[in-house]
């Protein structure tokens, strides 16, 4: 969308006058924590869900995950546009409300069809609140502190996504699969309550702009088609020809969106964003890293349960030390990025992340030796994630004008979602068999290293100026 002429954000002014912007940070971050947690927690719930609906086929059950992924990825950028034009507080609170209502509906579902419909609504709420959340945080903090705040925001989401499966196994084992959805309600209600009381409107404010409906529909079609083609790549119900047509529809839809955005007076996404070389490189790096992150996550649980024969709860605990390093690493990385620029964090972080798979490739054997073989790998990966994932989110919006915070962030988050969907699809092809040996993981680890090095190479071109210069 075009950059409107707006007065200084009321939220930013209020934050500057208050003692601390951190209460606003936690209001916004709690909701994003729940969204990220929900995205991976259902990996643990998938088996119990299937047993609760014995008449449903595996293809039917796959839509409990895929419907969420497709709708979330497709709606992120339109939701970011709505936040920028119609007010971030309004869109954030609306998204939290929809997400919570849909979470309760998921827990009460008595059929797969109802559960899938509730998951679609849940994804819509998640897409509305995510970009609005980051733009609220950007408005609340002064420029010199934004890198630290954005890094911590990304770390909160990364930590939630990483601990989701281990937390999910514990909750589901003791309380059943509906508890995986009800878990969202108490914290989400706190975010909604305090958000309504503490947040001030930012974004368009009083000068509400017209929504680019045509651009929104074209982008939903394009991203939805791409996400559908990726998530259904191994489905027996889709032929190769049908998948190719679906992917081609995404290409056509994206091309139509670009043409529309170049001619519309107030497009959903101002294509001038991508004239910024650093922004374009960050999004390409996000696609590569999002794919690698999903590969890593899938491979961890596959290796531990199928090669080392751990139970799912034990595998969740074995992975946990990695996520625990994400938040402290992200805080330190954010301070470095604030002083020296994001490239100083992204490049070494991607190399550390590559080393985690090199370790798995060369040091981990077929017999379980957790402390000497597995623990170093997850600590390396957690450190790499803490350095890269939040910094990519921060670098994407570091020099955008305030009026484009939400849509700029949404493009970056949607790119990460597509990378994640692609990573899961690739992992299913490589290590999706019921029985696996160590040798089956060699191609996956090699691809993981390649993607991490690609991320590193792309980040070499990221602007190194300090935030605010």
């Amino acid at each position: 969308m075009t950059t409107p002429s707006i007065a200084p954000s009321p939220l930013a002014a209020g934050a500057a006058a208050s003692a601390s912007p951190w209460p606003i940070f936690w209001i916004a971050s709690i909701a994003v924590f729940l969204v990220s947690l929900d995205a991976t927690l259902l990996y643990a719930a998938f088996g119990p869900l299937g047993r609760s609906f014995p008449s449903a086929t595996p293809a039917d059950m796959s839509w409990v995950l895929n419907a969420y992924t497709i709708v979330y990825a497709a709606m992120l950028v339109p939701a970011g546009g709505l936040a920028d034009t119609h007010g971030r507080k309004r869109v954030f609170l609306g998204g939290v409300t929809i997400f919570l209502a849909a979470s309760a509906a998921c827990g009460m579902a008595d059929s797969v069809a109802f559960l899938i419909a509730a998951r679609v609504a849940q994804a819509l709420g998640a897409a509305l609140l995510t970009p609005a959340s980051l733009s609220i945080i950007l408005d609340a903090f002064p420029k010199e502190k934004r890198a630290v705040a954005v890094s911590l925001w990304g770390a909160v989401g990364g930590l939630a996504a990483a601990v989701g499966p281990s937390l999910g196994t514990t909750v589901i084992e003791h309380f059943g699969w509906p508890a995986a959805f009800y878990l969202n309600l108490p914290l989400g209600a706190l975010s909604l309550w305090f958000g309504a009381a503490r947040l001030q409107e930012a974004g368009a404010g009083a000068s509400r702009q017209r929504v680019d409906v045509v651009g929104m529909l074209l982008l939903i079609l394009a991203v939805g088609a791409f996400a559908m083609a990726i998530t259904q790549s191994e489905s027996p119900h889709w032929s190769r020809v049908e998948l190719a047509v679906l992917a081609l529809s995404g290409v056509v839809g994206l091309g139509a969106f670009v043409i529309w955005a170049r001619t519309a007076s107030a497009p959903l996404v101002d294509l001038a964003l991508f004239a910024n070389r650093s922004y374009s490189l960050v999004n390409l790096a996000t696609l590569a890293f999002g794919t690698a992150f999903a590969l890593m996550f899938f491979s961890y649980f596959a290796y531990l349960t199928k090669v080392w024969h751990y139970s799912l709860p034990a595998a969740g605990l074995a992975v946990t030390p990695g996520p625990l390093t994400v938040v402290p690493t992200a805080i330190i990385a954010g301070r470095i990025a604030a002083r020296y620029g994001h490239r100083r964090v992204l490049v070494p972080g991607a190399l550390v992340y590559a080393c985690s798979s090199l370790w798995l490739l060369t040091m981990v054997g077929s017999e379980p030796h957790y402390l000497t073989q597995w623990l170093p790998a997850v600590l390396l990966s957690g450190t790499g994630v803490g350095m890269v994932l939040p910094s990519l989110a921060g670098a994407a919006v570091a020099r955008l004008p305030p009026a484009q915070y939400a849509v700029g962030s949404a493009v970056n988050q949607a790119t990460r979602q597509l990378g994640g969907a692609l990573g899961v699809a690739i992992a299913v092809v490589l290590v999706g068999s019921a029985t696996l040996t160590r040798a089956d993981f060699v191609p996956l680890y090699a691809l993981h290293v390649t993607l991490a090095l690609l991320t590193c190479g792309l980040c070499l071109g990221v602007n190194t100026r300090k935030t605010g210069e």
Side-chain angles (χ1 to χ4, degrees):
M1 81 189 60
T2 55
T3 305
S5 176
I6 59 173
S9 162
L11 185 54
S18 64
S20 171
W22 287 106
I24 292 173
F25 173 88
W26 292 114
I27 289 168
S29 294
I30 286 173
V32 171
F33 178 88
L34 296 177
V35 169
S36 300
L37 183 71
D38 201 72
T40 58
L41 187 143
L42 279 197
Y43 290 146
F46 200 72
L49 275 171
R51 291 189 291 271
S52 296
F53 301 105
S55 61
T57 66
D60 294 334
M61 294 306 302
S62 70
W63 280 102
V64 176
L65 296 176
N66 292 337
Y68 184 95
T69 299
I70 292 166
V71 174
Y72 184 50
M75 286 301 302
L76 271 168
V77 177
L82 287 174
D84 279 339
T85 59
H86 278 53
R88 288 132 191 196
K89 175 183 177 180
R90 182 181 295 110
V91 172
F92 175 77
L93 295 181
V96 174
T97 301
I98 294 171
F99 183 79
L100 293 180
S103 296
C106 286
M108 295 184 289
D110 57 1
S111 70
V112 174
F114 185 88
L115 179 58
I116 292 171
R119 287 283 285 167
V120 168
Q122 200 180 29
L124 176 60
L128 287 169
L129 72 89
T130 300
S133 166
L134 182 55
S135 58
I136 284 170
I137 289 171
L138 287 167
D139 271 321
F141 282 82
K143 288 183 177 181
E144 65 273 11
K145 295 184 178 179
R146 283 178 186 163
V148 174
V150 172
S151 292
L152 188 54
W153 179 86
V156 167
L159 175 65
V163 302
S166 55
L167 178 61
T169 55
T170 302
V171 171
I172 292 163
E173 185 177 359
H174 289 89
F175 304 105
W177 68 262
F181 296 105
Y182 295 146
L183 197 64
N184 296 327
L185 302 183
L187 284 177
L190 284 176
S191 179
L192 187 62
W193 177 271
F194 286 108
R198 294 291 300 271
L199 297 179
Q200 300 177 41
E201 191 53 271
S207 56
R208 183 179 299 185
Q209 300 178 44
R210 179 177 58 85
V211 177
D212 178 14
V213 177
V214 174
M216 185 181 297
L217 292 176
L218 287 172
L219 196 60
I220 290 171
L221 168 66
V223 178
F226 280 130
M228 176 93 68
I230 291 169
T231 57
Q232 297 303 296
S233 60
E234 293 303 305
S235 171
H237 301 284
W238 289 78
S239 69
R240 294 299 173 192
V241 173
E242 290 171 329
L243 288 170
V245 170
L246 199 59
L248 182 60
S249 299
V251 173
V252 172
L254 185 60
F257 172 78
V258 170
I259 293 171
W260 173 262
R262 284 178 173 174
T263 57
S265 59
L268 178 69
V269 178
D270 184 354
L271 296 183
L273 278 172
F274 298 96
N276 183 317
R277 181 172 177 266
S278 190
Y279 183 80
S280 297
L281 288 174
V282 165
N283 280 289
L284 288 173
T286 299
L287 180 65
F289 195 80
T291 305
F293 184 78
L295 282 174
M296 174 201 72
F297 220 82
F298 197 99
S299 69
Y300 277 1
F301 284 88
Y303 198 97
L304 289 169
T305 57
K306 295 179 181 180
V307 179
W308 281 11
H309 304 293
Y310 278 23
S311 66
L312 189 57
L317 288 174
V319 171
T320 298
L324 292 179
T325 66
V326 171
V327 171
T329 301
I331 292 172
I332 296 170
R335 290 174 177 170
I336 295 172
R339 178 170 295 184
Y340 301 109
H342 288 94
R343 189 173 72 184
R344 301 289 182 90
V345 175
L346 288 168
V347 171
L351 292 176
V352 170
Y353 194 66
C355 288
S356 69
S357 268
L358 281 175
W359 182 279
L360 291 169
L361 184 63
T362 58
M363 302 300 293
V364 177
S366 299
E367 298 297 323
H369 295 285
Y370 179 78
L371 290 178
T372 58
Q373 293 185 5
W374 193 264
L375 183 60
V378 294
L379 291 176
L380 281 171
S381 68
T383 301
V385 169
M387 295 174 72
V388 176
L389 202 58
S391 293
L392 285 172
V397 297
R399 287 164 189 85
L400 296 183
Q404 292 182 331
Y405 280 162
V407 75
S409 166
V411 169
N412 183 255
Q413 294 299 312
T415 301
R416 177 185 161 191
Q417 288 298 313
L418 287 175
L422 180 61
V424 169
I426 294 171
V428 169
V429 172
L430 294 179
V431 293
S433 303
T435 57
L436 296 169
T437 65
R438 185 189 183 280
D440 294 319
F441 288 82
V442 172
L444 186 147
Y445 292 149
L447 178 58
H448 190 267
V449 172
T450 301
L451 288 168
L453 293 177
L454 177 59
T455 302
C456 177
L458 291 167
C459 289
L460 286 171
V462 173
N463 196 322
T464 58
R465 288 179 299 163
K466 294 187 293 183
T467 300
E469 287 186 350

